[in-house]
Amino acid sequence: MNWTDERVEKLKRLWAEGLSASQIAAQLGGVSRNAVIGKVHRLNLPGRAKAGGTPAAARGTKRVAAPARPANYPARVATRTVPRTIGATALKEEIDLDTVQEMQYVPATNVVVPISRKLSLTDLTERTCKWPVGDPLKDDFHFCGVDAADASPYCSYHAKLAYQPVAERRKAAAARA
DNA sequence: CCCTGATTCGC
DNA sequence: GCGAATCAGG
């Protein structure tokens, strides 16, 4: 990947916003966090006050773990978790995601997604739908982001796609065997 | 072990 | 200029 003016601008903006190098790398795509850090140096951008510390921008907002990847989705390029998850909340999220993994996942390819707030990974919160949209390797990849009900990791629309009735799954399994 | 940025150095 | 390897730290 090459550092086009556009990508450099995005890098500058995200770095100024306080995103970590790995998060920026994930959003730019096709580069490692090392590449980002290296570029930051070469651009003589101001470094972080102290290494290893939490960036100011990330400290204020509650963030959640990234959703488990559906079986037919390619692996994400870089990081799959976001820092600053609050203790009890993090545990709750993990339980929810485990449940999701046991369910049969319906690919979103042949489905029309009605609305989307087009959130990137770092914009996800506890109450946003974490249904992935598009190819994680491409630039326009995002998450649904519509308000999710209660403890669900998905909005009501995507929850219906994610969770299939047990009877349905039994039928599918039987047909396969 | 997860993560963070910083630096070095072969390419 | 680029970025992987490495370092130093939380």
Side-chain angles (χ1 to χ4, degrees), chain A residues 69-98:
Chain A
R69 171 171 60 94
N72 16 18
Y73 260 88
R76 225 169 266 118
V77 183
T79 319
R80 64 193 309 286
T81 55
V82 167
R84 295 299 105 189
T85 302
I86 313 305
T89 304
L91 180 59
K92 192 163 170 296
E93 281 293 326
E94 279 175 31
I95 292 168
D96 288 338
L97 292 173
D98 282 349

Side-chain angles (χ1 to χ4, degrees), chain A residues 10-64:
Chain A
K10 192 169 182 179
L11 165 62
K12 285 180 179 173
R13 178 167 46 81
L14 295 175
W15 185 258
E17 284 173 11
L19 290 191
S20 72
S22 62
Q23 289 173 323
I24 294 171
Q27 295 216 11
L28 289 174
V31 287
S32 67
R33 74 177 196 93
N34 282 312
V36 169
I37 291 172
K39 188 61 180 173
V40 164
H41 272 246
R42 270 171 257 123
L43 289 170
N44 288 311
L45 293 179
R48 266 65 201 268
K50 259 151 194 173
T54 304
R59 226 185 294 120
T61 329
K62 268 191 188 178
R63 297 292 160 87
V64 300

